[in-house]
């Protein structure tokens, strides 16, 4: 049987067919396609903060992108640019912490990387233009920024990415304090682009969107770790 990989999902108003603005559990199909292409069996996980029992049937977990994390989770006051989804925060923080306790392989993408960071005791910058003075990490609505990342030699992400260090990102928040995680990748402006936890068999967070390019290196490594 293929390794079963859970993917966290959004709850957003959606429109299709005769339906308009219907609250919908969804996730971009790129995540599913990337997991499938890498040899995994994707299972979608709607927000559910009642328990983490689903982890017993999962071999790996993808924490997907989406809205901002509530700053209260890391002891900050929400800024004017911060848009949160409390249902996702509550459910995914439970999942992330339980997955780490179980040593389940975890890949955090964009928001997912930030969630891992906050779960590890870290904190975030709420609006990067205020910190960095530019918007290259989110140049325009629905337009990915293209950046060159630099990775720590010998790190997991450096081994996986090799010489191809071009990444596609879309975010306005980023890591301030990584907590107990190790920053293993940065953009030219110094912002953290990858974090890892060497104490676990596979915990990797990336600030970019590897699912968009069906990056077999990262999703393949997750599936391979989930198969062991």
């Amino acid at each position: 049987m293929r390794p079963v990989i859970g993917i966290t999902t959004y709850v957003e108003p959606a429109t299709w067919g005769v339906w308009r603005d219907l609250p919908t559990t969804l996730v971009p199909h790129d995540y599913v396609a990337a997991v499938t292409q890498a040899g995994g069996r994707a299972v979608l996980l709607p927000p559910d903060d009642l328990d983490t029992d689903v982890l017993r049937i999962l071999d790996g977990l993808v924490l997907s992108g989406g809205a901002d994390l509530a700053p209260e989770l890391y002891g900050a006051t929400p800024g004017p640019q911060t848009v949160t989804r409390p249902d996702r925060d509550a459910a995914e923080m439970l999942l992330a912490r339980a997955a780490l306790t179980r040593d389940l392989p975890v890949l955090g993408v964009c928001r997912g990387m930030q969630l891992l960071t906050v779960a590890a005791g870290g904190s975030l910058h709420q609006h990067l233009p205020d910190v960095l003075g530019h918007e290259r990490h989110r140049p325009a609505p629905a337009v990915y920024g293209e950046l060159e990342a630099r990775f720590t030699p010998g790190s997991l992400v450096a081994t996986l990415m090799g010489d191809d260090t071009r990444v596609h990102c879309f975010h306005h928040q980023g890591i301030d304090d990584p907590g107990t995680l190790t920053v293993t990748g940065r953009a030219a402006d110094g912002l953290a682009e990858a974090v890892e936890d060497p104490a676990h068999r596979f915990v990797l967070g990336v600030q970019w969107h590897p699912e968009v390019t069906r990056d077999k290196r990262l999703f393949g490594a997750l599936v391979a770790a989930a198969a062991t």
Side-chain angles (χ1 to χ4, degrees):
M1 183 175 176
R2 288 176 288 166
V4 178
I5 308 297
I7 305 173
T8 59
T9 60
Y10 309 24
V11 176
E12 300 286 348
T15 297
W16 73 96
V18 299
W19 308 108
R20 296 291 181 270
D21 294 327
L22 189 68
T24 305
T25 299
L26 53 81
V27 72
H29 185 67
D30 286 333
Y31 288 98
V32 175
V35 167
T36 303
Q37 180 177 279
R41 179 67 164 92
V43 173
L44 303 187
L45 305 176
D48 182 338
D49 64 355
L50 297 182
D51 58 54
T52 60
D53 290 353
V54 69
L55 294 178
R56 292 184 298 185
I57 62 171
L58 298 181
D59 301 306
L61 177 65
V62 174
L63 299 169
S64 68
D68 303 328
L69 288 173
E72 292 87 350
L73 292 171
Y74 48 92
T77 301
Q81 304 289 339
T82 300
V83 178
T84 64
R85 294 292 185 274
D87 59 332
R88 286 196 68 184
D89 291 347
E92 292 177 17
M93 194 60 72
L94 278 178
L95 278 181
R97 287 173 171 156
L100 294 174
T101 299
R102 290 171 177 263
D103 201 21
L104 194 74
V106 179
L107 174 63
V109 175
C110 196
R111 167 195 160 91
M113 168 178 161
Q114 296 168 8
L115 184 82
L116 282 173
T117 298
V118 174
S123 62
L124 307 177
H125 296 298
Q126 288 191 52
H127 192 53
L128 292 176
D130 295 341
V131 178
L132 302 177
H134 65 77
E135 301 212 29
R136 288 192 289 275
H137 293 272
R138 189 179 68 171
V143 176
Y144 288 97
E146 294 192 15
L147 305 174
E148 197 76 34
R150 297 173 296 186
F151 302 119
T152 303
S155 65
L156 172 61
V157 70
T159 301
L160 295 175
M161 295 295 288
D163 295 330
D164 180 11
T165 57
R166 198 78 176 164
V167 299
H168 295 74
C169 59
F170 186 82
H171 61 103
H172 80 114
Q173 298 200 335
I175 290 180
D176 179 10
D177 176 1
T180 59
L181 299 180
T182 301
V183 175
T184 54
R186 294 189 183 274
D189 57 20
L191 187 71
E193 289 290 328
V195 293
E196 302 175 21
D197 188 343
H200 291 80
R201 58 188 174 122
F202 188 97
V203 172
L204 174 63
V206 296
Q207 190 60 80
W208 67 92
H209 284 272
E211 79 283 359
V212 173
T213 56
R214 308 287 199 277
D215 195 329
K216 279 189 174 180
R217 294 168 297 182
L218 303 189
F219 283 92
L222 172 69
V223 171
T228 59

